[in-house]
Amino acid sequence: MNDDMKARMDEVMSKWNSLEGYTDSTSSSNGGSSANTNAVPKYNTRANGKSSRPSGPFNGTEDRNEAMSHAREVLERMLGRKLAPDAEFGHSDNFSDLASDLDNNLRDHNYNFDDDDDDDGGQTGSADHEERDVVRTEAVENSDKPKKDEISHKLYQEELKNVNELEIHNLPGRGRGFIAKKLIKPGSIILKVKPTISTLQNQHLKRICHGCFLTAEERSIYVSQNERERLEKKMRGELKLKLNRCASCKVLHYCSKECQISDWSLHKHECVALQRFRKMYYNTYPNHPSKNDSDDLTWTDPSNETVRALARIIWKRKDERDKNGGKDGLWWKQIASLETHINRSPEKEMIKLAQQAQHLQHYLSASIPLKSKSIEEENRLDPVNLKDFGFANVNEVMRFCSSFHVNSFTLSSPSLSPIGVSNSPLMALSNHSCDPNAVVVFPNGGKFMELIAIKDIQPNEEILTSYIDLSCPYSIRQRDILERYRFSCNCTLCEKGKSDENWVDPRWCVKHIGCKKGEQGKGKMPDKGLIGKISIKCDTCDENFEIDSHRVLSEVQRGVDLLDQDEIGQLKYHEAKKEIKTLIPTLQKHIPNCSYPLLSLLRLSSLVHTPPQTPSDLDISIRSIKAAYEGSLITYPKNHPISTICLAEYSKLSSLTDSEVLPKLHIKSIREKSISSMLEAIELLNKSIKSTNISFGIENKGGIVNKEMKGILFGCQSELDGIRSKFGP
Ligand SMILES: [Zn+2]
Ligand SMILES: [Zn+2]
Ligand SMILES: [Zn+2]
Ligand SMILES: [Zn+2]
């Protein structure tokens, strides 16, 4: 980089730092996270794939096989028979045997969860299971009209006290769901609830407050009355941008005393457990280089956010039972009444659940204070007796884990980056659609989970949210829903492909290059395994065009592989940068920006190039996010927060001005170029401010992202004034 360029980048960086607020890719306090810990923000409202990964019991990965076989043993003992040697996903005889065995088992144990699996918790579509079909047929015959579910209204009376927009209904064949009581306009907050519990993913523990789930920067935006003043304070270094650490465990961080106190009733148990694990880890590795580095949290790896969330719910339950003479509170009944899929889970899943239950027993055990300080006692971790925590047996714990798995939500930052897991039994009653009319977001941090309308919802219409990534084509959506939620989706979008043969899904298509009717011409993606040139019909000009199917499909596969790696957290961002550089232009030759996997890759590309380190990084990240924004408008429903965040990111990057403005130009052209790019940024910022107002709730005034955009707008306007006074009007 030459000196001019370097100076230019320094300027970009200092500008970026003054703007930085909501992206997850930059660090805030305490050194923060590295970008490669984040998968491309997918925004599924239900818990993302990550939290569903099994968390191994205390053994590290090297002991995983042993742990799996132990979990298997537990399960086999429970069932009183051997499991198939290699239990796979699917609907084998083994699976139905297992389901009926478990059913009997549960009946024998006088289970205190709701026994009727099929009737509870919300989802649309039908599970791939005979029982459910029977339930559905009967339900349809018995009732023409959906009915208000009085029992649920009693169960949630506290939460629904001031809610006039919706009612909980028992919907034929779909369990419980939300029905609109009046016309709801886009941008309305339909429901706002305090999550029962939320926990952060380990990699965010140091940079996000465990009380409000905001970074120090986001918090400062949230509390500021005047964004311009805040930015000025920040430039002068007068803003407190550090979180405080819990002095006992040195793991959780808080932005304020208030947040620490609000979290203490549950953290007090967790705090003891965490201290114990740190000790156990360093007893095992006494010469570990990070032994005296309290900032190092690698030892927290074995217990992910899901285990910590489950433990928090169990402690909450126990505290309440201890207070009320062994009686459960109403909120526990809410949790216990949610749907589980344990009867429909394949053996592989059952083993994972058994494993998780074991892990929990150890985790809870670590929260019991030690009697002595001997190393032997420190290192001995006997599993707790779950009866002491209100569970009758292991089945019950497994069922609880399974229910959490199906009903929990991804905790996301105000700008939709996944940061943890969150739980609200009431919110979990919303059913799924791949073309939703509402979204679940956290516009002002994790203290409140909000259901916001993105379309007009008519009286008596069902309020639907999406559980999965909407940019995926039909087959991937169906696979994801079946694997995790065990039903097949028959929403309007999923049915569209079946009912209209000529419909080309923008999520899974190829471009008609040279289409007479313009840029939009597209045709269906060819089937897997096709080789050679094939002819495809364009949906815009109706003519046939040829593509090299093998070539297109193999490029698409490269993209899918990259996203899969990102999903499981195995993508190294510097490698991804190289790969993406060649892959995106190649894919753009064949498929439009709205199609899978290009849309997700474009967002990933912008993420890995942000904050920009070189002028070319800045160019790539702006071009990627612009293309992603345009694609998102086609793929996502109108007003969807993903499009809004793409636009916010695009306008924020544009405000860093055009990197092509290098000193070689005439003063006159610098002026013109700078002014025009500033004006463009201002236009984008205004558009993005408007759009946050709807996607994150009108009453929220668009939440933290909106406030941040307004701050950047101030900055751009004063920069524009500066350019004009420097170079003349
Ligand atoms: Zn806080
Ligand atoms: Zn602590
Ligand atoms: Zn669907
Ligand atoms: Zn065409």
Side-chain angles (χ1 to χ4, degrees):
M1 231 189 291
N2 64 32
D3 287 352
D4 283 345
M5 236 183 215
K6 196 174 173 313
R8 168 86 201 121
M9 278 326 287
D10 286 348
E11 193 193 310
V12 167
M13 281 314 287
S14 78
K15 233 167 138 187
W16 175 266
N17 288 330
S18 74
L19 301 181
E20 193 269 314
Y22 71 81
T23 41
D24 253 2
S25 46
T26 40
S27 57
S28 58
S29 62
N30 297 315
S33 72
S34 58
N36 62 358
T37 53
N38 284 317
V40 59
K42 263 186 148 181
Y43 184 65
N44 352 321
T45 54
R46 295 292 171 122
N48 55 22
K50 278 200 166 155
S51 12
S52 70
R53 261 182 285 152
S55 48
F58 290 90
N59 351 20
T61 33
E62 70 271 20
D63 293 332
R64 171 145 289 164
N65 286 339
E66 200 187 311
M68 283 297 272
S69 77
H70 189 201
R72 220 182 161 84
E73 269 171 46
V74 171
L75 196 59
E76 285 173 346
R77 225 178 308 133
M78 220 170 83
L79 297 170
R81 67 171 179 81
K82 286 269 174 226
L83 293 178
D86 186 23
E88 273 302 325
F89 257 108
H91 307 274
S92 61
D93 291 341
N94 279 333
F95 158 50
S96 48
D97 274 1
L98 183 81
S100 65
D101 277 354
L102 264 175
D103 277 344
N104 293 333
N105 213 327
L106 295 173
R107 230 163 279 140
D108 292 348
H109 282 98
N110 198 10
Y111 201 69
N112 80 349
F113 274 84
D114 203 329
D115 257 346
D116 191 353
D117 238 17
D118 293 294
D119 237 359
D120 282 313
Q123 12 216 264
T124 177
S126 59
D128 201 7
H129 195 259
E130 277 171 47
E131 265 176 48
R132 177 170 270 246
D133 289 337
V134 174
V135 171
R136 181 165 57 180
T137 336
E138 281 173 3
V140 171
E141 279 165 9
N142 290 344
S143 62
D144 302 313
K145 262 194 198 150
K147 271 195 259 112
K148 179 175 168 183
D149 177 354
E150 299 291 350
I151 298 170
S152 293
H153 274 264
K154 225 175 229 163
L155 201 56
Y156 293 102
Q157 54 186 333
E158 204 43 48
E159 290 89 339
L160 293 174
K161 217 163 41 191
N162 300 312
V163 176
N164 306 313
E165 282 81 3
L166 63 80
E167 253 176 18
I168 303 169
H169 279 221
N170 262 312
L171 301 166
R174 322 156 46 95
R176 289 176 287 178
F178 293 147
I179 297 292
K181 281 328 284 170
K182 52 181 179 188
L183 176 71
I184 302 174
K185 286 290 192 189
S188 310
I189 303 173
I190 306 171
L191 194 62
K192 183 171 174 175
V193 295
K194 258 192 161 104
T196 314
I197 51 95
S198 298
T199 47
L200 286 173
Q201 287 166 12
N202 291 5
Q203 76 258 35
H204 300 299
L205 288 171
K206 288 197 272 188
R207 51 180 293 276
I208 298 179
C209 169
H210 218 284
C212 60
F213 299 96
L214 295 172
T215 62
E217 178 90 35
E218 286 163 347
R219 177 78 185 182
S220 79
I221 297 174
Y222 178 62
V223 296
S224 79
Q225 297 295 324
N226 180 332
E227 188 55 16
R228 175 180 253 167
E229 262 171 35
R230 190 193 76 89
L231 286 170
E232 283 165 4
K233 260 193 185 168
K234 187 176 175 188
M235 294 305 264
R236 291 197 300 269
E238 291 167 15
L239 222 55
K240 183 197 153 232
L241 289 177
K242 253 185 109 83
L243 298 176
N244 298 319
R245 188 168 71 175
C246 170
S248 302
C249 65
K250 301 183 171 61
V251 178
L252 295 203
H253 286 64
Y254 300 96
C255 70
S256 58
K257 203 83 219 159
E258 178 203 339
C259 276
Q260 185 174 21
I261 292 169
S262 73
D263 196 41
W264 182 244
S265 67
L266 294 176
H267 178 58
K268 68 180 179 203
H269 304 284
E270 185 182 52
C271 194
V272 177
L274 292 170
Q275 290 173 59
R276 176 86 175 272
F277 288 135
R278 189 197 290 266
K279 278 188 191 140
M280 284 172 68
Y281 184 82
Y282 291 114
N283 287 344
T284 317
Y285 305 102
N287 300 319
H288 200 281
S290 71
K291 188 170 183 181
N292 297 315
D293 176 8
S294 60
D295 259 349
D296 187 278
L297 296 182
T298 34
W299 57 270
T300 59
D301 284 353
S303 305
N304 66 15
E305 72 278 11
T306 305
V307 172
R308 279 185 290 114
L310 292 166
R312 276 177 170 242
I313 297 178
I314 294 175
W315 286 317
K316 194 176 157 121
R317 181 186 185 195
K318 185 176 188 307
D319 286 349
E320 208 168 57
R321 285 169 68 95
D322 289 351
K323 248 186 254 159
N324 299 331
K327 265 177 92 180
D328 280 314
L330 199 60
W331 72 272
W332 176 257
K333 292 201 178 98
Q334 296 174 349
I335 290 196
S337 77
L338 291 173
E339 176 162 15
T340 84
H341 290 157
I342 201 149
N343 297 3
R344 294 195 292 271
S345 297
E347 291 189 359
K348 207 164 131 189
E349 285 296 299
M350 296 296 290
I351 292 171
K352 278 189 207 163
L353 288 172
Q355 210 184 342
Q356 197 158 51
Q358 278 184 298
H359 191 162
L360 256 175
Q361 279 179 289
H362 286 91
Y363 194 83
L364 294 166
S365 165
S367 72
I368 299 166
L370 290 171
K371 286 184 192 77
S372 75
K373 287 212 163 172
S374 73
I375 289 199
E376 286 98 271
E377 204 191 329
E378 250 171 40
N379 285 346
R380 204 182 60 227
L381 198 62
D382 301 321
V384 291
N385 185 347
L386 285 159
K387 285 212 170 81
D388 299 342
F389 292 82
F391 293 91
N393 50 49
V394 187
N395 299 6
E396 241 181 63
V397 182
M398 281 170 65
R399 205 171 158 103
F400 163 64
C401 294
S402 158
S403 152
F404 184 85
H405 189 64
V406 185
N407 293 292
S408 58
F409 288 79
T410 300
L411 173 65
S412 52
S413 74
S415 57
L416 310 182
S417 298
I419 54 171
V421 64
S422 193
N423 176 276
S424 158
L426 177 56
M427 204 62 99
L429 297 183
S430 66
N431 282 321
H432 166 83
S433 166
C434 305
D435 185 18
N437 50 22
V439 291
V440 177
V441 280
F442 301 83
N444 285 313
K447 281 229 154 118
F448 291 100
M449 185 190 275
E450 305 185 28
L451 180 66
I452 293 178
I454 54 170
K455 293 182 187 170
D456 272 337
I457 306 175
Q458 303 300 327
N460 295 320
E461 193 182 335
E462 187 173 4
I463 301 164
L464 297 161
T465 58
S466 165
Y467 298 178
I468 48 146
D469 182 4
L470 295 181
S471 68
C472 293
Y474 176 80
S475 58
I476 294 181
R477 295 200 310 272
Q478 290 287 338
R479 181 201 66 193
D480 289 353
I481 290 175
L482 188 64
E483 270 184 16
R484 188 172 181 102
Y485 303 102
R486 312 231 57 83
F487 68 94
S488 46
C489 183
N490 51 18
C491 73
T492 43
L493 185 67
C494 288
E495 291 298 300
K496 197 169 179 173
K498 288 186 218 157
S499 59
D500 181 358
E501 249 199 26
N502 293 320
W503 180 67
V504 176
D505 188 351
R507 292 160 198 80
W508 199 230
C509 64
V510 288
K511 260 186 195 171
H512 178 196
I513 296 156
C515 179
K516 284 181 211 134
K517 298 226 166 150
E519 299 263 299
Q520 304 299 323
K522 60 184 188 300
K524 288 182 184 176
M525 181 76 77
D527 286 335
K528 232 181 185 170
L530 281 177
I531 299 174
K533 298 231 183 286
I534 59 160
S535 178
I536 288 178
K537 192 176 172 196
C538 172
D539 69 343
T540 309
C541 67
D542 275 344
E543 276 172 28
N544 284 343
F545 61 98
E546 265 195 356
I547 62 153
D548 180 342
S549 62
H550 178 69
R551 182 141 176 240
V552 173
L553 287 170
S554 59
E555 299 294 351
V556 163
Q557 192 54 48
R558 251 177 85 198
V560 174
D561 292 345
L562 205 69
L563 290 176
D564 284 349
Q565 265 182 50
D566 186 38
E567 173 91 23
I568 54 169
Q570 281 181 357
L571 194 64
K572 299 273 179 294
Y573 273 17
H574 59 276
E575 284 163 26
K577 251 175 151 172
K578 262 192 252 160
E579 173 101 10
I580 281 174
K581 213 174 219 161
T582 58
L583 184 56
I584 287 185
T586 318
L587 275 174
Q588 278 178 323
K589 276 186 210 145
H590 307 299
I591 66 177
N593 295 331
C594 55
S595 182
Y596 187 81
L598 188 51
L599 180 54
S600 301
L601 287 169
L602 287 165
R603 294 180 61 214
L604 181 64
S605 166
S606 170
L607 190 76
V608 297
H609 289 96
T610 309
Q613 304 293 335
T614 63
S616 100
D617 271 8
L618 180 61
D619 277 352
I620 295 174
S621 62
I622 292 183
R623 264 189 286 130
S624 307
I625 201 68
K626 180 175 190 254
Y629 170 60
E630 287 161 359
S632 77
L633 290 177
I634 298 171
T635 295
Y636 286 90
K638 203 180 162 205
N639 302 318
H640 195 280
I642 284 276
S643 307
T644 300
I645 286 300
C646 287
L647 178 59
E649 196 67 44
Y650 174 30
S651 60
K652 185 171 166 178
L653 286 165
S654 299
S655 76
L656 299 173
T657 72
D658 194 341
S659 64
E660 282 163 14
V661 184
L662 289 170
K664 281 173 221 147
L665 297 167
H666 282 282
I667 286 198
K668 193 167 169 262
S669 14
I670 293 179
R671 181 189 158 274
E672 269 162 21
K673 266 217 127 171
S674 313
I675 289 182
S676 76
S677 61
M678 243 337 113
L679 286 173
E680 199 188 312
I682 289 173
E683 196 189 318
L684 285 171
L685 282 161
N686 275 317
K687 207 168 151 191
S688 113
I689 288 166
K690 238 192 212 158
S691 136
T692 54
N693 265 327
I694 305 233
S695 303
F696 295 115
I698 296 167
E699 268 178 77
N700 288 324
K701 298 199 177 92
I704 288 176
V705 177
N706 174 292
K707 258 184 150 179
E708 201 209 356
M709 290 300 121
K710 281 184 182 148
I712 300 174
L713 186 62
F714 280 138
C716 284
Q717 268 153 353
S718 39
E719 192 164 336
L720 187 63
D721 294 345
I723 299 169
R724 282 183 168 143
S725 68
K726 194 169 162 194
F727 298 107

